[in-house]
Amino acid sequence: MNIKEAKDEIQRAITSYLMKDEFGEYRISRVRQRPILLIGDPGIGKTAIMEQIAQELGIGLVSYSMTHHTRQSAIGLPKIETKVYDGQEYMVSEYTMSEIIASVYDCIEETGLKEGILFLDEINCVSETLAPAMLQFLQYKTFGKHKVPDGWVIATAGNPPEHNKSVREFDIVTLDRVKKIVVEPDYGVWKEYAYKKGIHAAITTYLDIKKSDFYRIESTIDGVQFMTARGWEDLSTMIKLYEEQGYKVDENLIGQYIQHEKTAKEFAIYYDLYNKYKSDYQIQNILDGTYSDEIRERASNAKFDERLTLIGLLLESVGEHIRKDVETEDYVTELHKLLKELKMVCERADRNRENIDTILGKYIVARTASYREEKRSSVLSAERETILRKVILAIEGYKNALMQEGVTDLTEGFEYIRKSFGETVAEMKQHLSDTQFMLDNMFRFIEDVFGSGQEMLVVVTELTVNYYSAKFISRYGCEKYFEHNKELLVYERQQELLSEIMLLNDADEIDLSVL
């Protein structure tokens, strides 16, 4: 199965393991809960899905790479205890608590989460001295005498033996006690993830053309050469940073992440071509609706690979604006909720003892503490973390601005905040309008140059599978999208999107009158 299917299967299994009966007992006892064994090629995303599952289920996560552990750190260190048997004292060897089990209890103490996932990566690459203990752990959920706490599900991951010389095969007795899931690379699934993570468009458009270069491990006379999902993602991050600083992105850089000589060379050539097309086609002019006849003619006569790259450039540019709109509205919505609370606090405050500066200071302390607690619990997604940090910064900004203006009165102070928030909403709506204008112009260009052919199919499909554009269209609509979506019979995706639209239509819009 692919990584998305594996994630769904693991999430269903963990949800089932955590179900309780009418007496509050787990319906599947700890002894009968099979540890999850996820087998897949390196860099395929095994660790990432465990983090996502913990966040989505709101449970704890403790993660360890077993290649870094010795028998002592996993099981504990021996200590001598004195015991009495039949009136005779004996010196008995016992063990301190396992570092791994102790980390689970630490997580419970720090986060207050009684349930979670204990994830042990590279489980089949442990040292020879630790191997017997790991087999015992998988069968009985204990390290020595120390048990994994109830409510903590064991999930493990390992690499296939052909990709790691350190791999130890599990015997039938062990395999018959685990829930084994084998994962294979799938570019289509990874691309959905890539959109959400903001992977550089040069990478996704290149892989659209050469899907076979997404994931490959080859043994050659010069040694093993490979490219992985992790390698492409890390390369994307570095390319963006290089571009920001004006550094040259070349084959030397690419080869540090894509350790397959032929692919690194071909992508380096494509990356230069990608940037050339970006300049030649004057992407912003297309999105402004002011492209020339020369641009139209060139696009019309281009080969399909060049057309795909052009579409990728258009989607990338519009996508950056769409992503900003979605993230801004999520942030503004969260800030709006906070300001509604703040208004009620100000109305109830004792004006003789509190001013606007004091109240905002308390809010900053409380929100910062809440944010840190969520982050420690490992249930905080990257999107949620960004929103919370921006809200805290906004409140700090209001507080500093009021101090500079010398405003301390609660009514006057809150009116200043309300006005500032209104300006933020107005800016958001203007940016949204600009994005809708560019999106419409992109569709008009595709219609003008390519009609309703396969290029339009690519555009509609990409907008549908992209997390942010799907969310944007579900919130604000796009007449051209729905028109061509219907024509091209992208039915299943359309139904999912329309269902989300119906749900979101019932949501309250931001109402400044409540502030």
Side-chain angles (χ1 to χ4, degrees), residues 326-338 367 371 374 380-395 467-468 471 475:
V326 171
E327 291 176 342
T328 299
E329 185 180 349
D330 290 342
Y331 151 68
V332 169
T333 300
E334 185 71 20
L335 183 58
H336 182 247
K337 293 177 184 176
L338 181 67
R367 284 286 163 168
Y371 155 70
E374 282 193 54
L380 189 63
S381 67
E383 293 83 4
R384 176 69 177 167
E385 179 177 359
T386 299
I387 290 171
L388 293 180
R389 293 180 69 176
K390 288 180 71 174
V391 166
I392 293 170
L393 286 174
I395 300 300
Y467 170 82
Y468 288 100
K471 205 169 184 179
R475 288 178 178 178

Side-chain angles (χ1 to χ4, degrees), residues 30 101 105 140-149:
R30 179 180 59 193
I101 301 296
Y105 283 105
Y140 303 109
K141 290 82 174 173
T142 63
F143 276 126
K145 291 185 177 181
H146 305 292
K147 298 178 180 179
V148 176

Side-chain angles (χ1 to χ4, degrees), residues 124 135 160-162 166-172 174-175 180:
N124 54 355
L135 297 181
E162 60 267 27
S166 301
V167 165
R168 297 175 178 278
E169 295 281 6
F170 290 134
D171 57 29
I172 295 176
T174 302
L175 290 174
K180 183 180 178 181

